[in-house]
């Protein structure tokens, strides 16, 4: 047994200083980059696969369809195409963080959209009543699934598969076989079809970029002031610059005139994009900065440890299914806005797989405990580009299904292999 | 007879001990005080080995532990605890005390009832009968949360850490500090570092490391730190050194010792006699659900403890024949 225990306070302080050397050490860019490289090699991939995928796919489709793929019109189309996928995926991230799955989220978005459309078209309700009702339907579905999973303890796979079938029946009953409910309400239609004035788009982008940079720098300063673990300031600035550049580039692309006729101007950021932005900010805050978010990660990492720490695991489990179905309702509304109608197969087909694929490609683990809200955005863009690009190539339907299935499997394999690598390297 | 009773004036004064061994021996002249706590860690098994417990208590060795004859109230004082699961009686009439500033080793063979006793202490299994006193007051624990509210923390063998979270996040799990609706990350990080520094944890590079990157000994340290972060008065450690390497075991034992030196009551469950003799101030031996002896570590030998564990009797210690 060591006898060199600290004698008195001075020794203890000195010892403490050497204890957490990595926290106190002045981080330079080089060591931070080496750390990052080490993490990637150890299987903590983060957003890397999604960003590489985005770059690769853009190059690929640009090479194959140089005239159409990066046209102003198609870029705007791509963003509105990604909206419902991203929103659905963002809700699913919460469920995936617990290592659960909600297979019914896609059709839940369909039934919520159907409820909204029916209320507007048949009952003549104002849009806000219809939207609130749709959200309520989503919450009810989520509560039911969550209760069955968390209290009765049926595997979420089975519960949501049952809901997947049942909800399709409800949608069919609501709309009628072969029927279509048109969506003509101005507000709803505007979500995916109308654009912000160009100046507003620029203002919002600038405010968001400045806000992001300010938050990051303020946090860095606070950490420095209190001698806490912090990243090198160069990296903080670089990250802020990249985010600002992405925001401004997106705004620039969406502000171009994309009207088919030279007589009118059609441009600006679609209204659905700031909606996703708000959801992204709220979800990121909730997951990263609130006790509730922390508890979600804890339950996903080790439910027994979370229970012993006094966390109400059942309540957390139910709540994530409510969030997923609530987001599904929003996603269904945006999808209905984009298509101007709701059909009985709304939210069916590959809607759910696109959303799960988006979350997983973005970096959310299917095994629980790892993932961020931004994964849904990055992965959703990847999926939208694949969908959009294949459409431009005129790929046959059977081939699109095959390719999408392969992409999903590919993303899941990266997740599983990275996880194995993490456990091999003790991460 | 046995040294254990001689230095328990508080317990004696408040009622007859339910221990199955004999009444206190008269104390003789006090010996010079024992060296301080830090040195005890490296205490060798000394010449006392050749003496019997009776000889030593007659010399009054045990009395030297009482500073100026002040009565020390045990933090935890269990008397006559019974616990049955169905028709199986697991604990018989257990008496057990843990004192502030001391490490009490709880030893016993597999199936002796150590884990059940720990679960009774931690509020997981309420005892069927008996008296549970905490800081001198009788209490009833209905759940682990009641125990935590009193300042009792149990570090279970499987640690219960979330590997996907970092050290700070694990330390504060379920009891996060907030600023408004958000987490107070800076405050938690500072306090985490202070706590770990207070335990003189040397091997961790950063408090923002994920648990999955830590070694077994470091994880054990985090689990222990979590137990002491909350102003706890009694920390129960279930086999903290099981499955650890030599150096890591050393590290954890040093921390266990330091907890006691800070004034906490520590209960250490261990199968390893070397660990027990290295850090404990007193040893409580369970044999088939009965507490056969609770003695000062200095007053017994390695062999006596092994005999108590395996047969419940060692010389005039243990179960009466």
């Amino acid at each position: 047994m060591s006898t060199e225990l600290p004698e008195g306070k001075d020794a203890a302080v000195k010892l403490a200083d050497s204890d957490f050397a990595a926290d106190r050490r002045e981080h330079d860019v080089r060591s931070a980059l080496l750390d990052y490289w080490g993490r990637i090699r150890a299987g903590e991939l983060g957003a890397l696969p999604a960003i590489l995928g985005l770059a690769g796919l853009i190059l690929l489709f640009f090479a194959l369809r140089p005239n159409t793929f990066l046209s102003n019109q198609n870029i705007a189309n791509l963003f509105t195409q990604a909206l419902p996928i991203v929103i659905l995926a963002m809700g699913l991230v919460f469920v995936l963080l617990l290592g659960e799955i909600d297979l019914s989220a896609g059709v839940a978005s369909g039934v919520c959209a159907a409820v909204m459309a029916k209320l507007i078209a048949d009952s003549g309700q104002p849009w806000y009543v219809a939207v609130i009702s749709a959200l309520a339907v989503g919450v009810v579905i989520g509560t039911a699934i969550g209760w069955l999973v968390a209290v009765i303890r049926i595997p979420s796979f089975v519960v949501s598969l049952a809901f997947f079938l049942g909800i399709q029946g409800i949608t069919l009953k609501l709309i009628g076989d072969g029927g279509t409910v048109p969506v003509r309400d101005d507000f709803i239609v505007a979500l995916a079809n109308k654009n912000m004035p160009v100046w507003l788009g620029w203002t919002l982008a600038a405010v968001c970029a400045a806000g992001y940079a300010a938050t990051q720098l303020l946090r860095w300063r606070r950490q420095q002031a209190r001698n806490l673990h912090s990243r090198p300031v160069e990296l903080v600035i670089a990250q802020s610059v990249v985010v600002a550049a992405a925001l401004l580039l997106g705004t620039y692309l969406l502000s171009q005139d994309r009207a088919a006729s030279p007589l009118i101007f059609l441009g600006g950021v679609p209204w659905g994009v700031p909606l996703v932005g708000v959801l992204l900010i709220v979800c990121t805050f909730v997951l990263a900065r609130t006790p509730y978010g922390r508890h979600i990660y804890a339950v996903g990492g080790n439910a027994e440890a979370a229970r012993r720490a006094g966390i109400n695991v059942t309540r957390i489990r139910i709540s994530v299914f409510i969030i997923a179905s609530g987001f599904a309702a929003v996603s269904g509304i945006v999808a209905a806005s984009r298509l101007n109608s709701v059909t009985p197969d709304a939210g069916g087909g590959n809607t759910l797989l696109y959303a799960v694929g988006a979350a997983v490609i973005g970096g959310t683990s299917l095994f629980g405990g790892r993932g961020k809200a931004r994964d849904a955005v990055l992965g959703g863009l990847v999926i939208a580009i694949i969908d959009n690009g294949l459409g431009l190539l005129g790929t046959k339907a059977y081939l699109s299904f095959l390719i999408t299935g392969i992409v999903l499997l590919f993303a899941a394999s990266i997740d599983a292999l990275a996880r194995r690598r993490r456990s091999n390297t003790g991460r | 007879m046995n040294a254990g009773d001689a230095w328990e004036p508080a317990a004696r004064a408040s009622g007859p001990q339910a221990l199955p061994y004999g009444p206190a021996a008269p104390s003789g002249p006090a010996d010079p005080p024992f060296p301080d706590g830090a040195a005890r860690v490296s205490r060798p098994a000394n010449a006392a080995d050749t003496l019997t417990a009776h000889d030593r208590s007659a010399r009054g060795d045990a009395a030297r532990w009482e500073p100026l004859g002040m009565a020390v109230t045990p933090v935890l004082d269990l008397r006559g605890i019974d616990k049955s699961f169905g028709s199986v009686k697991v604990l018989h009439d257990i008496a057990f005390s843990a004192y502030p500033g001391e490490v009490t080793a709880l030893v016993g063979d597999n199936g002796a009832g150590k884990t059940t006793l720990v679960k009774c202490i931690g509020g997981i299994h309420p005892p069927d009968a008996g008296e549970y006193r905490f800081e001198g007051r009788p209490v009833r624990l209905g759940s682990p949360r009641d125990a935590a509210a009193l300042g009792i923390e149990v570090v279970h063998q499987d640690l219960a850490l979330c590997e996907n979270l970092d050290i700070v996040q694990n330390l504060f799990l379920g009891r996060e500090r907030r600023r408004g609706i958000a987490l107070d990350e800076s405050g938690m990080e500072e306090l985490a570092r202070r706590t770990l520094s207070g335990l003189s944890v040397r091997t961790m590079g950063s408090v923002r490391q994920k648990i999955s990157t830590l070694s077994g000994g470091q994880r054990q340290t985090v689990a222990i730190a979590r137990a002491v972060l909350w102003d706890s008065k009694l920390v129960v450690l279930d086999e903290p050194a099981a499955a650890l390497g030599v150096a890591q075991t050393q590290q954890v034992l040093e921390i266990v010792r330091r907890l006691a030196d800070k004034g906490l009551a520590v209960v250490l469950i261990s199968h390893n006699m070397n660990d027990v003799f290295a850090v404990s101030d007193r040893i409580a031996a369970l044999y088939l659900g009965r507490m056969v002896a609770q003695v000062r570590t200095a007053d017994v030998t390695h062999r006596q403890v092994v005999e108590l564990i395996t047969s419940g009797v060692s010389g005039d210690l243990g179960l009466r024949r």
Side-chain angles (χ1 to χ4, degrees):
Chain A
M1 195 63 54
S2 160
T3 48
E4 54 195 45
L5 298 179
E7 305 281 337
K9 203 170 179 185
D10 289 347
V13 169
K14 201 167 150 234
L15 203 61
D17 281 343
S18 62
D19 281 350
F20 305 104
D23 285 348
R24 308 291 170 98
R25 188 176 64 220
E26 205 46 52
H27 278 279
D28 55 9
V29 178
R30 202 182 124 75
S31 76
L33 289 178
L34 281 176
D35 273 5
Y36 181 64
W37 179 237
R39 279 209 303 279
I40 287 177
R41 283 174 54 98
E44 297 222 28
L45 300 174
L48 195 66
I51 288 173
L52 289 181
L54 268 182
L57 286 167
I58 290 173
L59 285 178
L60 175 72
F61 287 122
F62 181 62
L64 292 173
R65 286 286 178 276
N67 297 325
T68 45
F69 181 66
L70 284 187
S71 67
N72 293 334
Q73 203 178 353
N74 193 49
I75 287 174
N77 194 17
L78 216 153
F79 272 91
T80 45
Q81 213 169 345
L83 288 177
I85 303 174
V86 168
I87 297 172
L88 194 59
M90 214 180 281
L92 279 171
V93 164
F94 285 78
V95 174
L96 293 175
L97 275 176
L98 291 198
E100 309 273 0
I101 186 84
D102 183 358
L103 297 175
S104 71
V107 292
S109 78
V111 78
C112 294
V115 166
M116 176 204 70
K118 288 282 277 186
L119 280 176
I120 294 176
D122 295 1
S123 320
Q125 298 287 342
W127 66 266
Y128 48 86
V129 173
V131 166
I132 290 172
S133 309
L135 287 174
V137 170
V139 168
V140 168
I141 293 173
T143 313
I145 298 175
W147 186 79
L148 288 167
V149 171
V151 179
I152 309 291
R153 299 300 281 137
I154 310 173
S156 57
F157 167 74
V158 176
V159 175
S160 58
L161 193 59
F163 272 74
F164 172 74
L165 292 172
I167 290 173
Q168 287 183 74
I170 296 174
T171 314
L172 197 58
K173 175 86 180 101
L174 272 178
I175 299 182
D177 209 358
T180 305
V181 187
V183 176
R184 295 212 185 81
D185 183 85
D186 286 340
F187 180 87
I188 303 292
V189 169
L191 271 181
N193 296 305
K194 290 274 163 40
N195 306 314
M196 291 196 270
V198 171
W199 64 267
L200 185 58
W202 281 110
T203 315
L204 267 184
V207 167
C208 286
Y212 182 82
T215 323
Q216 294 289 320
L217 283 172
L218 279 179
R219 181 185 308 152
W220 180 82
R221 235 186 51 187
R222 197 173 60 232
Q223 287 168 337
Q224 283 286 306
R226 296 173 75 166
N227 212 358
L228 300 175
H229 179 77
S230 62
R231 297 180 305 157
V233 70
E234 293 90 340
L235 277 194
V236 175
I237 293 172
Q239 195 176 342
S240 305
V241 169
V242 168
V243 168
L247 280 169
L248 297 176
L249 178 69
T251 314
Y252 170 77
L253 290 172
L254 291 173
S255 299
Q256 300 300 304
D257 184 6
R258 48 180 178 265
S261 132
L263 297 175
I264 53 165
F265 175 80
L266 178 65
V269 179
W271 280 105
V273 173
L275 172 69
V276 168
V278 169
L279 292 177
L280 174 65
I281 292 170
V282 170
C283 288
T284 304
F285 177 79
V286 166
L287 283 177
R289 300 263 163 259
T290 65
Y292 171 71
R294 180 66 40 84
H295 294 171
I296 291 181
Y297 284 101
V299 174
N302 187 341
E304 174 60 17
R307 192 186 62 78
R308 284 200 210 152
I311 295 169
N312 189 335
V313 175
T314 306
R315 204 156 64 196
I316 299 271
R317 280 214 181 95
I318 296 178
S319 69
V320 295
F321 284 99
I322 295 176
I323 290 173
S325 298
F327 274 66
V330 179
S331 160
I333 293 166
V334 174
S337 159
R338 196 166 89 86
L339 302 173
N340 289 321
S341 68
V342 181
T343 55
D345 60 349
N350 48 17
T351 312
L352 176 88
L353 288 187
Y354 274 176
V356 174
V360 174
I361 290 170
T364 298
S365 173
L366 289 167
F367 303 96
R370 279 163 198 276
K372 292 183 168 143
R374 65 137 202 251
D375 297 349
V377 176
L378 290 173
L381 284 174
V382 170
I383 292 280
I385 287 177
I386 293 174
D387 196 31
N388 179 288
L390 290 179
L392 288 181
L393 293 179
T395 317
K396 296 227 164 45
Y398 81 91
L399 209 52
S400 292
F401 275 117
L402 267 176
I403 292 174
T404 318
I406 289 170
V407 169
L408 179 59
L409 261 188
F410 183 65
S413 335
I414 291 181
D415 177 28
L417 290 174
R419 174 185 148 96
R420 208 167 71 179
R421 180 136 193 121
R422 281 197 300 269
S423 63
N424 284 346
T425 51
R427 260 180 190 271
Chain B
M1 290 291 210
N2 139 10
D5 282 352
W7 43 268
E8 282 182 294
R12 263 210 326 275
S14 49
Q17 276 283 56
L19 293 174
Y21 41 86
S27 53
D31 278 17
F34 200 83
D36 70 272
R40 250 184 286 136
V41 175
S42 48
R43 177 186 58 223
N46 52 29
D49 285 4
T50 52
L51 300 172
T52 65
H54 179 83
D55 291 341
R56 268 176 284 130
S57 66
R59 286 196 305 128
D61 282 11
R64 69 195 171 193
W65 290 88
E66 284 313 318
L68 307 170
M70 254 166 55
V72 178
T73 317
V75 173
L76 175 75
D77 195 9
L78 303 180
R79 292 179 212 171
I81 296 289
D82 286 335
K83 180 72 194 172
S84 303
F85 294 109
S87 59
V88 185
K89 196 160 187 191
V90 184
L91 297 179
H92 304 260
D93 194 24
I94 296 285
F96 180 73
S97 313
Y99 289 79
E102 293 191 353
V103 177
T104 308
L106 183 58
V107 297
D109 220 338
N110 291 338
K114 301 188 299 284
T115 307
T116 310
L117 181 55
V118 166
K119 287 185 172 166
C120 287
I121 294 173
I124 296 171
H125 298 321
D128 298 336
E131 201 178 349
Y132 189 126
R133 281 171 174 271
F134 191 76
E135 297 188 306
R137 286 169 290 124
V139 292
R140 260 201 89 72
L141 302 181
S143 74
R145 232 177 272 204
D146 295 349
L150 283 175
I152 302 173
E153 293 283 341
V154 181
V155 179
H156 293 280
Q157 212 169 341
D158 57 346
L159 300 185
L161 298 171
C162 290
E163 297 203 354
N164 59 333
L165 299 181
D166 66 29
I167 296 174
V168 180
Q169 292 169 342
N170 266 286
L171 286 179
F172 286 88
L173 192 61
R175 298 183 266 200
E176 289 84 0
R177 282 183 164 202
R178 315 167 178 225
R179 219 176 28 200
I181 55 166
L183 294 163
D184 177 14
E185 291 283 0
S186 313
M188 290 196 281
E189 190 173 327
E190 278 178 342
L191 186 54
R193 186 169 300 152
R194 251 200 325 269
T195 305
L196 288 169
S197 300
L199 294 173
S200 297
V201 176
R202 272 168 245 201
T203 53
M204 284 174 215
S206 163
V207 286
R208 287 295 181 188
Q209 262 178 297
K210 293 224 168 116
I211 295 296
S212 53
T213 66
L214 299 182
S215 70
Q218 290 172 325
R219 290 178 197 211
Q220 187 74 52
T221 308
V222 173
I224 295 174
R226 183 162 74 180
V228 299
L229 197 56
W230 307 105
D231 203 20
S232 22
K233 294 165 183 131
L234 172 69
V235 177
V236 183
L237 304 161
D238 192 354
E239 294 266 8
L244 293 188
V246 176
Q248 293 182 341
T249 302
Q250 192 95 332
Q251 221 178 66
V252 167
L253 290 180
E254 279 180 45
I255 291 169
V256 168
R257 189 61 245 171
R258 225 166 278 134
L259 292 185
D261 295 344
K262 281 167 176 292
L264 274 75
V266 181
V267 175
L268 171 76
I269 297 184
S270 181
H271 269 123
N272 187 324
M273 283 307 122
N274 292 328
D275 297 354
V276 167
F277 275 87
V279 294
S280 71
D281 298 296
R282 135 180 15 194
I283 298 175
L286 277 171
Y287 176 72
L288 298 180
R290 292 171 202 279
M291 185 64 76
V292 291
Q294 190 165 3
V295 294
R296 300 242 44 129
T297 308
D299 299 336
V300 286
T301 64
H302 206 293
R303 214 196 60 215
Q304 282 176 304
V305 175
V306 172
E307 281 175 6
L308 284 171
I309 292 172
T310 51
S311 61
V313 185
S314 173
D316 50 2
L317 281 177
L319 295 171
R320 279 197 221 143
R321 298 195 190 260

